[in-house]
Amino acid sequence: MKWLYKEKSPEKLFYSTDLHSHILPGIDDGSPDVETSMTLLRTLQSWGIRQVFATPHVIAFIKNTPETIAAAYNSLCNRMRQENIDMKIRFSAEYRMDEHFEELLQEGEKAFILLPGRHLLVENPFSQAPMALEDFLFRLTLKDIHPIWAHPERYRYYHAKRDIYSQLHDKGILFQVNLLSLAGYYGKEVKEIAWWLGQNGWIDLLGSDLHDTRQAQAITGWLSTSEYQRAVEMLRTLKNDLLLSSEEE
């Protein structure tokens, strides 16, 4: 599918903080190098983003640590200073709730890099629903850590079992939906669930989940469409700036 839209002046995003991106160079399936990272940062900046959280994967087969993430972050920050990029970049991670996540929970809070307000970005495996999902989320809350559920619209195994969304949102779990999902980048079914979540008032946060320049081009194109304007009207209560701009590192 080609991501081409009728040529218009691109719009800015209606918030200035992106909490989900894979822009740190060379540590997961996102940006492979600093050059690509800089291109992605400039694109985020063109959308009106002034603060971005880099959230590389922490998965059983990508066991990033606070140390590996900080090293990649420092490398990118050095390049930003050299090129005078006026943008605040901070880092956390996107934690997959798998067997490695169980190990991290047993290590305690020191194993996690928290977002402001003691929030933590967590995701499901894509192949099958985690049997311990609610247990994982509950154990985080016992540590006074507030889960943000990354792109729930992308877990296709829940599409025919939509009660899970209302159950978790009613328990106070924050939902972070991808811009790319609303734009249809991942296909019709994911787009339908993303818009359905928005219509129910269950999108608390938006994220770019930016990995590469192709995704960046898709979002840039979508920002010029009337569909984006409908999304703006639907998401007036978005919490990105309120929730994530209140603390310094």
Side-chain angles (χ1 to χ4, degrees), residues 143-238:
K143 299 177 184 292
D144 192 32
I145 296 173
H146 311 297
I148 297 174
W149 199 20
H151 42 62
E153 74 281 1
R154 295 186 62 196
Y155 309 130
R156 296 177 185 272
Y157 42 76
Y158 291 145
H159 289 183
K161 303 175 181 179
R162 297 190 187 186
D163 286 353
I164 187 71
Y165 297 112
S166 58
Q167 291 168 8
L168 290 182
H169 204 265
D170 287 348
K171 290 180 179 178
I173 304 301
L174 296 175
F175 288 7
Q176 176 264 299
V177 164
N178 284 1
L179 285 169
L180 289 161
S181 299
L182 293 168
Y185 183 87
Y186 308 108
K188 182 179 178 180
E189 290 182 10
V190 172
K191 180 176 183 176
E192 178 186 336
I193 295 295
W195 282 84
W196 175 77
L197 290 171
Q199 289 157 3
N200 279 282
W202 297 340
I203 297 180
D204 303 292
L205 301 141
L206 285 176
S208 68
D209 197 1
L210 199 56
H211 286 69
D212 55 47
T213 55
R214 183 172 182 266
Q215 292 178 343
Q217 290 166 0
I219 294 173
T220 297
W222 185 66
L223 294 182
S224 300
T225 67
S226 59
E227 186 174 74
Y228 169 66
Q229 295 301 329
R230 292 200 300 274
V232 173
E233 292 300 318
M234 179 175 69
L235 300 171
R236 289 295 185 187
T237 59
L238 201 71

